[in-house]
Amino acid sequence: MSIYPVDASNSNTSGVTSSKDSALGKDDFMNLLVAQLQNQDPLNPMDSTAFTSQLAEFSSLEQLSNVNENLEYLQMYQSSINNAQAVSFIGKNIYALGNSIQLEGGENKDIHFELSENSSSVFINIYDEAGNLVKYIENGPMGEGKQSVEWDGTDNSGNTLPEGIYKFEIMAVDANSDEVQTATYISDRVTGVTFKDGVTYLLAGGMKIPIGDVIEVAEE
């Protein structure tokens, strides 16, 4: 007898169901239980212990189904609360995790970061949206904690850069030239809110900031 390979893309799958389709719900379970009772042999009825066990399984299945349904309602309720809270951020200044900065209107911008300890030198690289290094800033000694350095929006040649979103990175060293741990932050005014794939984003200029990254909110 020869065995031929089957092309899954062309085979008839009418008799095959996915694991999702084959999963039994509480209604399916009850229908099977009733059918089993209707078709049992009157001279050899179902054992009472087995019947009780199946009823207990049905009860557990129904309770789990109700729990899942309640959790879905709770999730939707929590999501609506989060969305309502996000709208209240509009018009406020936020401090959030991130390394983006919005250059606009020819204004100087502050680059925000945090140092884990006192540093003898701090170095800042600024990149355009294409990832090109456009500005290098070297700063002197700075203390432990939150710090900021002003950027005038020019490149290394002193030319004014176009408006847009830029990225920055921070490197710092101590008096022994050992690297100091740093964290970078976004600080800007929220102008709107958007929702995508279940995540709430705050709009600050052209930046989209996940609401979970916000660590501080202040009035304008």
Side-chain angles (χ1 to χ4, degrees):
M1 180 178 65
S2 299
I3 299 177
Y4 297 94
V6 177
D7 184 350
S9 61
N10 296 322
S11 62
N12 183 359
T13 59
S14 60
V16 180
T17 58
S18 67
S19 58
K20 180 178 179 180
D21 294 336
S22 61
L24 293 178
K26 62 179 182 179
D27 292 336
D28 299 318
F29 190 93
M30 178 56 75
N31 290 335
L32 285 174
L33 186 59
V34 171
Q36 186 177 3
L37 290 173
Q38 291 175 338
N39 294 281
Q40 67 180 336
D41 184 356
L43 300 179
N44 185 25
M46 182 187 301
D47 180 69
S48 60
T49 301
F51 181 68
T52 302
S53 176
Q54 291 187 1
L55 284 179
E57 290 178 7
F58 173 75
S59 178
S60 298
L61 178 63
E62 185 176 29
Q63 290 178 18
L64 287 174
S65 177
N66 292 336
V67 168
N68 288 337
E69 186 176 355
N70 290 335
L71 286 175
E72 289 176 1
Y73 285 134
L74 181 61
Q75 186 176 21
M76 289 188 293
Y77 176 69
Q78 184 64 47
S79 178
S80 65
I81 291 178
N82 290 341
N83 294 345
Q85 290 177 337
V87 173
S88 68
F89 282 34
I90 297 176
K92 293 183 171 63
N93 291 322
I94 61 168
Y95 207 70
L97 300 174
N99 66 332
S100 298
I101 188 168
Q102 173 78 17
L103 189 62
E104 57 184 346
E107 297 180 353
N108 293 358
K109 302 293 291 188
D110 285 335
I111 295 173
H112 297 270
F113 54 94
E114 186 172 3
L115 302 174
S116 62
E117 58 183 282
N118 295 337
S119 303
S120 60
S121 297
V122 176
F123 309 94
I124 304 173
N125 289 335
I126 302 175
Y127 303 88
D128 62 17
E129 293 185 270
N132 301 310
L133 177 65
V134 294
K135 185 72 172 184
Y136 170 77
I137 301 173
E138 182 176 351
N139 207 76
M142 303 188 79
E144 175 186 353
K146 291 181 179 179
Q147 299 285 353
S148 65
V149 171
E150 187 177 67
W151 174 40
D152 61 5
T154 63
D155 62 15
N156 288 324
S157 299
N159 302 312
T160 300
L161 291 167
E163 295 185 349
I165 299 175
Y166 293 80
K167 299 283 188 181
F168 64 91
E169 62 181 5
I170 307 292
M171 189 186 77
V173 294
D174 61 18
N176 298 319
S177 297
D178 293 326
E179 184 176 355
V180 173
Q181 295 298 314
T182 64
T184 57
Y185 298 100
I186 298 171
S187 181
D188 217 317
R189 178 176 173 273
V190 177
T191 57
V193 178
T194 188
F195 311 99
K196 183 178 181 181
D197 299 330
V199 179
T200 302
Y201 295 91
L202 304 179
L203 303 179
M207 297 180 289
K208 291 170 57 177
I209 305 168
I211 194 171
D213 288 347
V214 176
I215 60 176
E216 187 176 308
V217 183
E219 295 290 345
E220 185 180 8

